[in-house]
Amino acid sequence: MPLYLIAALPFLGALLPGLMIRAGRNACAWATASATIAALVGLLVHAPAVMRGEVIRTQLNWLPQIGLNADFMLDGLGMLFALMILGIGLLIILYARFYLSRKDPMGQFYTYLLLFQGAMVGIVLSDNILLLLIFWELTSLSSFLLIGYWKHLPEGRQGARMALTVTGSGGLAMIAGMLILGNIVGSYDLSDILQSRDVIQASPYYLPALALILIGAFTKSAQFPFHFWLPHAMAAPTPVSAYLHSATMVKAGLFLMARMWPVLAGTPEWFYLVTTFGLITMVLGAVIALFKDDLKALLAFSTVSHLGLITMLLGFGTPMAAVAAVFHIINHATFKAALFMTAGIVDHETHTRDIKRLGGLRTLMPVTFLIAVVAGLSMAGIPLFNGFLSKEMMLEEASHTYWAGSPWVVPVVATLGAVFSVAYSFRYIVHTFLGPKRDDYPSKPHDPGAGMWLAPAFLTVLVVIIGVAPFVVEPLVKVVAGAVIGDAGELPDFHLKLWHGVTPALFMSVIAVAGGAIALALHRPLNRGWLAMPRPEAKPAFDLAVLKSAQAARWVTDGLHDGSLTRYAWIGGAAVMAAGAAAWFGGDAGEATRTALPATPVAVTGWALLMIATGSIIAFHRNRLLALVLMGVIGLVVSISFAYLSAPDLALTQISVEVVTIILMLLALNFLPNRTPVESTIGRRVRDGLVAAVGGVAIAGLTYAILMRDFAATSIAGYFLENSYKGGGGTNVVNVILVDFRGFDTFGEITVLGIAALVIFALTESVLDGRGGRWLANWVPDQRRAGDRHPLMMVVATRVMMPIALMVGVYIFLRGHNEPGGGFVAGLVVAIALVMQYMASGYAWATARRRYPYHVIIALGIIVAAITGAGAWLAGKPFLTSAFGYFRIPPLEEFELATAMGFDLGVFLAVVGAVMLALESLSRLARRSGAAVNPHPMDINPERDLETASNIPPEEAR
Amino acid sequence: MHWITLPIILPAMLGAVTVLALRHHLLLQRVFSTAGTVAVLAITLGLLWQANSGEITVYRLGNWDAPFGIVLVLDRLSALMLTLTAVLALGVQLYAIGSGWDGRGWHFHALFQFQLMGIYGAFLTGDAFNLFVFFEILLIASYGMMIHGGGRRRIRAGVQYVVYNLLGSTLFLFALGTIYAVTGTLNMADLAERVAQLPAEDTSLLRVGAALMLLVFAIKGAVLPLHFWLPETYAKAPAPVAALFAIMTKVGAYAILRVYTLVFGPEVEITADIAGTWLMPAALVTLAAGMIGILGADRLGRMAAFASIGSMGTLMIAIAPFTPEATAAALYYMIHSVLGSALLFLVVDLVRERRGADEDLVTRARPIAHLGLISALFFAAAITMAGMPPLSGFIGKILVMDAVRGEAAWPWIWAVILVTSLIAIVGFGRAGTTVFWKTDDTPREDELDTARTIEAPIGLPATVCFGFLGAIALVTVLSGPLTAYLQGTADQLYAPELYITAVDPQPAVVYDPASGTGKGGDH
Amino acid sequence: MELLIASAVGFLAAAGIYLVMRQRTFPVIIGVSLLSYSVNVFLFASGRLVINQPPLLSDSATGYTDPLPQALVLTAIVISFGMTAVVVMMALGAFLSSKNDHIDMTPEDGRDSPPEPKSRPDAPALHEREAEEGPEEGADPTAPGAVPSPEGAR
């Protein structure tokens, strides 16, 4: 079976439990197991070849550009770990089937479990370190889900978050480390990297890479100072603890160190970093374990201790130490998983894991007791059990390791660790199972069904077999150790046997056992001392750190984004000015090339008027009505100056836009408070004034610089002047540009107008439907209203003006192509004429006489414009290609028709529709506010009043 | 040959027709609008295929030659952006229909189509001022979309959004005016030619123009310190709209890529430093601010908004070196970011719709309906945006980190990227565990009947979410071939002469009125 | 002349910038409008200043000014008109629905837990309930006669 399939099977299998759970818990478990079994079989198929020392590879390109490929490799080391992951995984699946209660969502559990399993298998089979990183992070994520499985428990959630944070951050560090490593070697393929020991160790980036990778490994394997997350992960269901936190995930770090051993090990940096932290972890874990009353916590810390032990062995950097490490990995997996399961059984049966409430279970749970004893003694390192053998080898290696020149440090500290590990192992057995039977167990204890004890029993059998006849696993150990050592050294010729003769290690073991027994005997006083001793608690510190950083983040975020637009504007403005200045002074500006036009009196007058108006706006902007008037003045001056500076079209447009804008704002102001209160402090105003002044000066300078220099290269404008008539058929070049040369801009422009109207309409609707409408309904205007809202004179005047205005509009429209004007201005003129009707005779009256809804007019405008443009397609020309011709219908004089006019018609319609829809929306607000409706054109109408005074609608009367 | 115009014309017509005839028939609006979106998607796929050949298609509107008329230009980049937009649009629209969002106010579908018209136009146009026009179209449509459904807080946030962007538009006009005043042209290809041969004493003016332009695009792309419009807007906007806005920030990124490779390219030394030196620091700060915001936000919506800011930061980090490799990475990350942010916003909406008064607050609340499904989606979206394996976020992150190795400050860039992703992980972890795990069934005094969980449509919305998830997975699995295509795209970007000659075949003739020989349309 | 224009553009812009930084929507809108005047003139000026040479082709003309910026400004004016209309209405809408025309959003009307009474847990958030009736219900408000009578409105 191809390796990627082995890695993929658990992931594919992860889809099953969710479905199969509908068919019952057994079916679910079987489905899960089948996936694992399949993978296991696939793996065992390769076993013979691997045992022959071959390395199996499969390659699959994924992202070759950066060398991320789905390449897998199976050698002794990978084999061992894959076996542990899948084999123990199988046992866990069996165990969990009976451990989980009915109300636990089993499908979820098995899904997460398989995800995790796949990730682990992926790690140990990856032949590409980027791929390895992916699986690495996946284990963090899936273990997050598994630890948080009991989501109702706060411990579960916190433990999950802590594990994710710690291992996740380690993973991130490792990403950096691996990328650096890959850059040193020039390849992310593990095989290539394992070949380049010298390159790596010579590189200046060796130390950073090593450090970063070790952070990743240490966090995963709960090495000091990252060990604190593991015990809190014990909030997970026991199967998870047994699987992740004893057999597999925590071993991932060890695996990585073993995997990288050939290229990273053997340097002083490696020795001191790995050995030291391993040693510390080993002792610390063992000591803490002795004083934990929670069975799982005890086992958790013992795991920490054993991981430290293995780490230390890898740190030694000698081949024999590597052998010992490999052997202990195997042994630890067997006895520790078994112990976790017994702890789970005890918890499951007695409903407590507190040693203080246990004891005397020997007779009540004989099977569990037997399993616990065997596994426990193995953990303690008692002969005839596998733990003893690897611990002997460890002590042997430790006994001749120099640390900073001293031969004593390592052996002594190692023995100390051994003492405590014996102590807690004994304690696990003695305080739980031995002693007098009690009658206050939370629940009546008895051995569980076979389903639950089969798995640990099987493991303990292995414990004994290996312990008695170590040679059976010798080939495996040899192959694995060979894989670990790789090209870095010679695989020493060794034999695993029970009796090594009288060696220092033996003495150390004896000391350990004796010391351990004494320590247990003195447990009570020791415990008292321990409790009295101040101990740094990791969890509160961690929680505090996370909380603080969250608060800091909150503070930064809310402080930065405090919802104050004025501040945003200020910052943005400053940024713009800084950038502009930097850009300006980064280049050089030549001196003026144009001669300034004379400032005529007219111009100066206009200028003065503008400046005064602008100044007064700043001064009197709080009086909103006045501000609007002043704005009108400014607009007027601007449009006049356009006219003065040979831009008649602009002048026309500006003035008509001005009128409409002011009307709109006046209507809006009708609802808004008509004064702006004084709010900003003097200081603020000064700051804003400063910003404004700088900005103004900058812009003025920029404008002046532009005005006084000619184009660097000739403008394309000449072309328009030349081709406007030839190619566009119009003498008003601006208009031809708008409807022809750059008609697409205009198309977009009218779309914008149309959209604006739609937005306004939709907005009005939602305001009216919402609280805004409710509020308007009983809104009382703050100013007095004129009694005669639709004065006779005005009505008559507008009525008379209407046709004239329309004619003017048509005229402006038609002449647009050749003289100032065009669809846009025409549209505005007509719109204004219509608005006049509304203002004079009132909303309802005018609406009642409106034939087409403005929506339609807008839409038609856009459609007409688009269709005119698309018409060119028929002639095989691109969109918006214009055609024109001159026609003569006697007796009229010759006149011109251009397709551009159709386009201009679209503009006209869109403008009329948009403006009207916008203003109408406003008046709908007014209606809601209870402004009376008039069925008649004017309020005062003699003849109507003569007829009868009775049939006046009620709202007229008020 | 007219296909290239359809992504603009079709939505415009569709929007107009919707307003004209269908404005009272939601069902018809849905049918027609969706049909239109699908059609445009098909067209964009065709254009993608066409651009894949490497040839650059130029469409001369009004049959006027560049630089005098406006041209639409289709190269690999614009084709890519079009397709990405079309895909996003379809998903978002289906979600809006499925969740009933489109019925909560007027003219959703019309505005939606106009919005798309603006975005497509911005990606296609080859004319600087026309780019401004399309910016305005997509902006004004987005104003309407953003306040769709009303509500006082949404409208007030909308006012801020509008005002900020009005200032941006003003800035854009200043930039255009300055650039025209120096070069005397608006067509980008022509600009490129003229900038390349600009006399030394005009550089100050041009540099100001280039700088202002960059700031305009930075506003669109939510780069610090010009990102302030984004958080409230995205957090308050209706979810489908926020999801659609995922592409709007990318319009800014696109414009930067286009203008600062074509016109003010890295080899133009008079302006090289502007985008070259300023963008990277800003991008790093943006990333930091975004990811910190994820941890600091008290609402899922706001969190999603900051997540998209963060992804813009990473994107800009990849753009800033202005090398083909980095740009390829940037393009990959852009695709990832669009899909990821969209998914996140939609998932947040799934939660919000079911939490009643608690809305999307990150707080203990009663368990919502469809908890398992939604939490799974959130988990996926979160690991995507946090850049965790196995989804596209991780691939993108690796690509970007690999691409910036050439930078002098690479250790710092890597540090920022990695540390911020840790912050994001913690932030998402806290929020997710609180919202989905830390539920309580105890009745609350401020609620009348606690028994009922709030039901909201799940079928189509969830399908859409899984659709986006599927797309993300696809982008991850096919990252190899995809990156190959993107590499080609990037290479095309850094060979601007291809673009220039395509738009304007004659060698740079700066028009000379005396000789009277202009490049005219065939009239 | 150039000096006059330049100073006018600068002063308009300065006034605009100052007003944009005020705290109520109305002055901000005025400020935005002033800025758009400023930028329109600026854009127009990018074609340089010419007197009495409008771009209207005729045999009598001595010369023509640069027509392109005029076209651009025309477009810009129209667009900014649309934008102004929208922002005015949005400001109005914001004021009507929150009785508050501050442009800045403080936490209580911004992110934090909504002050609005969201009584029923089984109903969507208020602003979503407000808009639940879509176009398909309620007749066309713009159609003649369909307009709600003032009595109905009250």
Side-chain angles (χ1 to χ4, degrees), chain A residues 299 306 331-342 368-382 385-388 424-426 428-429 456-457 459-461 463-464:
Chain A
L299 292 177
H306 282 269
N331 298 337
H332 179 256
T334 51
F335 65 69
K336 185 53 63 70
L339 282 171
F340 263 111
M341 294 196 212
T342 56
T368 318
F369 171 62
L370 184 63
I371 299 169
V373 168
V374 174
L377 292 180
S378 172
M379 175 160 77
I382 304 301
F385 303 110
N386 58 2
F388 168 73
Y424 64 68
S425 307
F426 285 173
Y428 182 83
I429 300 168
L459 288 169
T460 43
V461 171
V463 166
V464 178

Side-chain angles (χ1 to χ4, degrees), chain A residues 558 562-566 570 594 596-599 603 607 610-611 614-615 617-618 621 624 628 631 634-635 642 644-648 650 653-654 657-658 660-661 664-665 668-669 671-673 676-677 679-680 684-685 688-689 691-692 696 699-700 702-704 706-711 715-717 720-721 724-725 731-734 737-738 742 749 753 756 760-761 763-765 767 769-772 775-777 820 824 843 850 853 855 915 920 922 924-925 927-928 930 933 955, chain C residues 1-15 17-30 33-35 37-38 40-42 44-58 64-79 81-86 88-99 101-107 111-112 116-117 126 130-131 133 140-145 147-151 153-154:
Chain A
D558 291 359
D562 61 353
S564 156
L565 185 80
T566 55
W570 182 78
R594 291 173 65 96
L597 297 171
W607 176 83
L610 183 83
M611 296 306 246
T614 316
I617 276 202
I618 300 177
H621 73 88
R624 297 180 169 183
L628 272 188
M631 225 179 83
I634 294 174
F642 280 146
Y644 182 78
L645 294 166
S646 24
L650 281 186
T653 316
Q654 180 72 58
V657 166
E658 204 54 43
V660 182
T661 313
L664 187 89
M665 291 182 111
L669 189 54
F671 297 99
L672 292 167
T676 307
E679 285 166 321
S680 44
R684 253 192 78 150
R685 271 175 268 168
D688 299 352
V691 177
I699 290 174
L702 185 64
T703 319
Y704 191 69
I706 287 174
L707 285 175
M708 298 311 288
R709 274 191 76 80
D710 278 312
F711 288 100
S715 156
I716 56 176
F720 299 120
L721 293 168
S724 167
Y725 192 74
T731 55
N732 178 359
V733 184
V734 174
I737 293 179
L738 281 174
R742 299 186 66 87
E749 162 196 323
L753 265 191
I760 290 174
F761 176 80
L763 172 68
T764 316
E765 284 307 304
V767 169
D769 293 348
R771 51 167 50 193
W775 182 54
L776 268 177
F824 182 75
Y843 174 84
R850 185 203 50 195
H855 282 97
V915 173
E920 187 198 53
L922 253 170
R924 300 191 58 244
L925 288 177
R927 301 287 315 294
R928 177 65 66 89
V933 184
E955 72 273 12
Chain C
M1 191 61 171
E2 277 73 5
L3 207 50
L4 298 185
I5 295 296
S7 52
V9 171
F11 193 45
L12 277 172
I17 296 172
Y18 179 78
L19 288 182
V20 163
M21 287 187 275
R22 298 304 91 206
Q23 300 182 53
R24 300 296 181 126
T25 47
F26 194 83
V28 170
I29 293 170
I30 299 269
S33 322
L34 289 185
L35 273 172
Y37 287 131
S38 161
N40 288 342
V41 179
F42 175 85
F44 170 74
S46 69
R48 311 304 190 275
L49 305 184
V50 179
I51 296 182
N52 294 331
Q53 298 186 342
L56 304 170
L57 303 179
S58 70
Y64 304 106
T65 179
D66 184 342
L68 185 53
Q70 297 194 14
L72 302 187
V73 175
L74 256 167
T75 312
I77 292 177
V78 179
I79 287 176
F81 164 65
M83 294 288 172
T84 317
V86 168
V88 167
M89 289 305 291
M90 281 179 72
L92 182 54
F95 176 70
L96 289 181
S97 35
S98 65
K99 299 201 201 68
D101 68 340
H102 276 97
I103 188 94
D104 294 350
M105 295 181 71
T106 49
R111 284 183 343 279
D112 289 337
E116 315 169 352
L126 177 62
E130 280 174 358
E133 60 269 28
D140 172 19
T142 64
V147 284
S149 76
E151 293 80 5
R154 282 203 211 86

Side-chain angles (χ1 to χ4, degrees), chain A residues 268-309:
Chain A
E269 297 92 335
W270 168 276
F271 174 80
Y272 283 109
L273 282 174
V274 180
T275 306
T276 315
F277 281 107
L279 205 51
I280 298 173
T281 315
M282 171 177 160
V283 177
L284 197 67
V287 174
I288 299 175
L290 178 57
F291 299 105
K292 286 291 174 189
D293 291 332
D294 177 353
L295 288 180
K296 279 176 77 176
L298 185 154
L299 292 177
F301 275 104
S302 85
T303 309
V304 170
S305 164
H306 282 269
L307 293 170
L309 183 158

